[in-house]
């Protein structure tokens, strides 16, 4: 079973799940708690298929582009990885945080409080970048609107998101399409409204990023 709520950290979400299933790329990174362990889920460029573990996982999903400032690590160094927080931070600090979370009646709230204490203020440029790409604007147009050259935009994106702006735009487009398809919008209309050339283009992207045909993906959820 999976539950999720909005976090007091702007744009973030606190969630709990059983550790099994298919995690799709979404432009975000997560701080994870599981059986006394603190881990970081880096930015995914393809579906991450978790094992059939039945134990409970709790996570704080940061809004796109914000986790690297919290972690002090560029996102591209964690791309498609799940790593122990102790590999990134001093072990004594991580031990203290583990004890704090273990002693809390709600691990999700404890994760949230840690993030609130340490998170940097949102970067207006990164928020504008995500908003522009999520609205379907081309990368070149977005770069011009933000006053950034293509190379500088690419460098900023690697640090913040783990990949370039074109990959980020593709992932955000996938999420838009899935949100529509889950409400029952026909696949052809979903493709058109999400910015795909046609339904075949949507089908290819879903297979490449999610690892399943769209119909099977929706049924599995």
């Amino acid at each position: 079973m999976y539950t999720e709520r909005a976090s007091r950290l702007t744009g973030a979400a606190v969630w709990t799940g059983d550790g099994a299933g298919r995690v799709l790329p979404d432009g975000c990174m997560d701080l994870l708690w599981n059986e006394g362990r603190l881990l970081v889920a880096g930015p995914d460029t393809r579906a991450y298929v978790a094992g059939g573990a039945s134990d409970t996982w709790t996570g704080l999903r940061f809004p796109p582009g914000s986790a690297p400032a919290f972690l002090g690590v560029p996102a591209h160094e964690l791309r498609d990885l799940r790593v122990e927080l102790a590999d990134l931070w001093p072990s004594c600090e991580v031990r203290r945080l583990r004890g704090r979370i273990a002693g809390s009646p709600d691990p999700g709230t404890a994760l949230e409080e840690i993030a609130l204490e340490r998170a940097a203020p949102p970067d207006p440029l990164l928020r504008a970048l995500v908003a522009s790409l999520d609205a379907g604007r081309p990368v070149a147009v977005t770069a011009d609107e933000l006053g950034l050259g293509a190379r500088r935009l690419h460098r900023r994106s690697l640090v913040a998101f783990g990949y370039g702006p074109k990959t980020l735009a593709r992932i955000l487009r996938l999420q838009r399409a899935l949100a529509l398809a889950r409400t029952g919008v026909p696949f052809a209309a979903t493709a058109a409204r999400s910015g795909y050339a046609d339904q075949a283009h949507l089908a290819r992207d879903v297979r490449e990023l999610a690892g399943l045909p769209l119909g099977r993906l929706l049924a599995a959820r």
Side-chain angles (χ1 to χ4, degrees), residues 41-130:
D44 293 321
T45 59
R46 57 186 181 274
Y48 175 82
V49 182
S54 60
D55 50 341
T56 299
W57 288 73
T58 302
L60 177 78
R61 185 171 65 247
F62 288 86
S66 65
F70 168 81
L71 294 169
V73 178
H76 63 82
E77 294 187 6
L78 304 174
R79 184 171 53 233
D80 294 319
L81 296 176
R82 303 303 188 260
V83 301
E84 298 280 349
L85 185 61
D87 292 338
L88 309 177
W89 287 5
S91 57
C92 59
E93 176 67 5
V94 176
R95 281 197 300 272
R96 185 184 70 81
L97 294 177
R98 286 203 302 258
R100 175 177 170 180
I101 297 170
S104 171
D106 181 5
T109 298
L111 289 174
E112 183 179 34
E113 290 172 348
I114 291 167
L116 285 166
E117 292 167 2
R118 295 165 173 263
D123 186 328
L125 185 144
L126 295 178
R127 294 180 70 178
L129 170 59
V130 172

Side-chain angles (χ1 to χ4, degrees), residues 57-217:
W57 288 73
T58 302
L60 177 78
R61 185 171 65 247
F62 288 86
S66 65
F70 168 81
L71 294 169
V73 178
H76 63 82
E77 294 187 6
L78 304 174
R79 184 171 53 233
D80 294 319
L81 296 176
R82 303 303 188 260
V83 301
E84 298 280 349
L85 185 61
D87 292 338
L88 309 177
W89 287 5
S91 57
C92 59
E93 176 67 5
V94 176
R95 281 197 300 272
R96 185 184 70 81
L97 294 177
R98 286 203 302 258
R100 175 177 170 180
I101 297 170
S104 171
D106 181 5
T109 298
L111 289 174
E112 183 179 34
E113 290 172 348
I114 291 167
L116 285 166
E117 292 167 2
R118 295 165 173 263
D123 186 328
L125 185 144
L126 295 178
R127 294 180 70 178
L129 170 59
V130 172
S132 180
L133 295 179
D134 199 25
R137 293 189 181 91
V139 171
V141 172
T142 297
D144 288 341
E145 290 177 345
L146 298 178
L148 297 174
R151 290 184 180 180
R152 187 179 173 201
L153 178 62
H154 189 79
R155 289 196 298 269
R156 291 291 300 270
S157 295
L158 286 177
V159 171
F161 308 107
Y163 30 65
K166 290 184 178 180
T167 298
L168 176 61
R170 189 180 178 208
I171 287 170
L172 294 174
R173 183 178 60 187
L174 171 71
Q175 290 294 331
R176 292 197 304 273
L178 292 177
L180 286 172
R182 285 167 181 153
T183 66
V185 175
F187 292 173
T190 290
R193 291 170 57 181
S194 303
Y196 290 91
D198 51 30
Q199 186 175 337
H201 184 196
L202 167 64
R204 288 194 302 272
D205 241 32
V206 171
R207 279 183 176 273
E208 290 178 15
L209 294 173
L212 287 176
L214 181 54
R216 285 184 56 194
L217 185 65

